[in-house]
Amino acid sequence: MKTRVVRVAEGISPAVALLASGEIVGLPTETVYGLGADALNPEACAKIFEAKHRPLSDPLIVHVPDMEWASRLAEFSPEAWKLAEAFWPGPLTLVLPRRDIVPDIVTAGQSTVAIRWSAHPVFQEIVERFGKPIAAPSANRFGRISPTCALDVVAELDGEVALVVDGGSCAHGLESAIVCVEGANFRVLRNGPVTSEELAGFGNVVSVGKDIVAPGGFKSHYAPATPVEVVSEVPTPRPGCGLLAWSSDGSGFAHVEHLSARRDLREAAANLFGAMRRLDALGLELIIAEAVPAHGLGAAIMERLHKAAAR
Ligand code: TXA
Ligand code: MG
């Protein structure tokens, strides 16, 4: 199979047709590119796991076209409704008690299901025309860096997926925040563009970051082939190494990628995975990543850096 990248104008109809025939497609979202399939078709979902080489124990996020579909898939408590109202469509995934309609392969047999309503106009048009929920993990090989543009999807999954709809670069560049709603407690399973500070306005944020409990929250993830080391002090120059820079100028390194010259966490998040990919392609002995401030979106960036560094 040859992977075709198509522009939005030519891509939407074939993408919907492929979904309807039980195939997988690469789709843009506002966070990262997803590898989508009909969420209610277990065999179609199985193709996602095959293409990504993802273990079946790692459940998928289901992307809905509207709130009605969301409530057909999961039980929404009043607190969950409040979060959905505040942040959907958008970069927030809610983990909620599932309903029977959700296939076991999607939830990895768990009693909960992860649901998101994407704000990306192209994704929205596709899911609305498809008329059913779309299961979609990030469109990378399991354990690798998430794709933030259509060509990244090809770099990850060439030959594994027939079609990638090119919706340009992802606005956020980081995966959605994942929140398990337990009464008035919000357990953050993955930090993301909706920050813990924002969530705290709606309930009790109980556990954040480090000891990630999402089943796919393996310690090593988002991993380049090159080893990564995260440093919190000004890095000393190392000629054989690359630098993922936050505040240093990077002199004395073989190559430097600046996350954000104006030190803006949003810009840094959007650049993070692309910069890691470019550094990784150089075959350096080590990538040194400078720590960013850990507040707001910085928490999500630091989580990815620590995972990229974990072996
Ligand atoms: O931004 C995103 O969320 C992207 C775009 C494509 O929507 N999707 C994405 O999916 O990042 P994925 O599969 O790469 O990451 C989803 C994470 C996995 O770590 C998975 O284990 C976790 O969500 N997850 C899925 N269902 C879950 C559940 N019922 N309970 C806990 N964690 C769950
Ligand atoms: Mg992923």
Side-chain angles (χ1 to χ4, degrees):
M1 179 200 297
K2 180 108 185 63
T3 299
R4 262 191 334 133
V5 176
V6 289
R7 283 183 304 204
V8 170
E10 297 97 63
I12 289 183
S13 297
V16 173
L18 282 166
L19 290 168
S21 63
E23 295 303 325
I24 53 176
V25 285
L27 301 172
T29 86
E30 74 275 40
T31 55
V32 298
Y33 273 70
L35 185 62
D38 179 348
L40 301 181
N41 177 342
E43 279 178 40
C45 292
K47 293 178 186 171
I48 292 177
F49 289 90
E50 276 174 326
K52 284 187 55 118
H53 300 272
R54 177 178 174 120
L56 287 165
S57 54
D58 192 0
L60 304 175
I61 296 176
V62 180
H63 299 68
V64 294
D66 50 40
M67 273 317 293
E68 197 190 316
W69 263 110
S71 53
R72 270 196 242 175
L73 300 170
E75 289 169 31
F76 279 71
S77 62
E79 291 80 10
W81 268 109
K82 271 196 281 176
L83 289 182
E85 257 173 25
F87 298 106
W88 279 359
L92 175 69
T93 295
L94 296 176
V95 172
L96 304 168
R98 70 184 275 193
R99 297 192 193 279
D100 290 342
I101 180 178
V102 185
D104 280 326
I105 190 169
V106 169
T107 65
Q110 298 194 83
S111 57
T112 54
V113 60
I115 307 222
R116 179 159 107 80
W117 180 359
S118 167
H120 196 289
V122 175
F123 192 95
Q124 284 190 346
E125 187 168 346
I126 290 170
V127 73
E128 281 168 20
R129 278 175 56 179
F130 180 51
K132 284 192 289 182
I134 296 175
S138 51
N140 50 277
R141 285 196 175 238
F142 181 68
R144 296 241 329 137
I145 305 169
S146 293
T148 56
C149 66
L151 286 182
D152 289 352
V153 179
V154 178
E156 289 289 326
L157 298 173
D158 195 15
E160 303 277 2
V161 55
L163 185 81
V164 181
V165 180
D166 187 352
S169 291
C170 300
H172 295 292
L174 285 185
E175 306 85 350
S176 62
I178 304 180
V179 175
C180 187
V181 183
E182 293 165 343
N185 289 338
F186 306 147
R187 212 147 48 85
V188 178
L189 305 185
R190 180 173 73 187
N191 283 297
V194 171
T195 64
S196 295
E197 287 90 335
E198 290 174 288
L199 292 165
F202 297 85
N204 204 14
V205 177
V206 284
S207 121
V208 191
K210 287 274 161 62
D211 38 44
I212 299 300
V213 275
F218 307 99
K219 199 161 177 245
S220 166
H221 225 90
Y222 317 105
T226 315
V228 176
E229 191 183 313
V230 184
V231 299
S232 44
E233 68 287 356
V234 177
T236 35
R238 290 169 74 169
C241 301
L243 180 70
L244 189 60
W246 170 250
S247 55
S248 302
D249 67 359
S251 52
F253 283 87
H255 185 79
V256 58
E257 288 282 342
H258 294 279
L259 285 178
S260 169
R262 57 192 162 96
R263 295 189 202 176
D264 173 68
L265 286 169
R266 263 188 197 284
E267 184 181 49
N271 285 334
L272 177 67
F273 290 151
M276 284 210 300
R277 255 175 214 285
R278 286 189 295 276
L279 283 165
D280 197 25
L282 299 173
L284 302 164
E285 69 190 56
L286 179 70
I287 298 169
I288 298 196
E290 261 186 281
V292 305
H295 57 79
L297 253 183
I301 296 173
M302 286 306 292
E303 191 178 292
R304 271 56 169 196
L305 290 180
H306 284 303
K307 287 194 168 196
R311 287 278 137 172

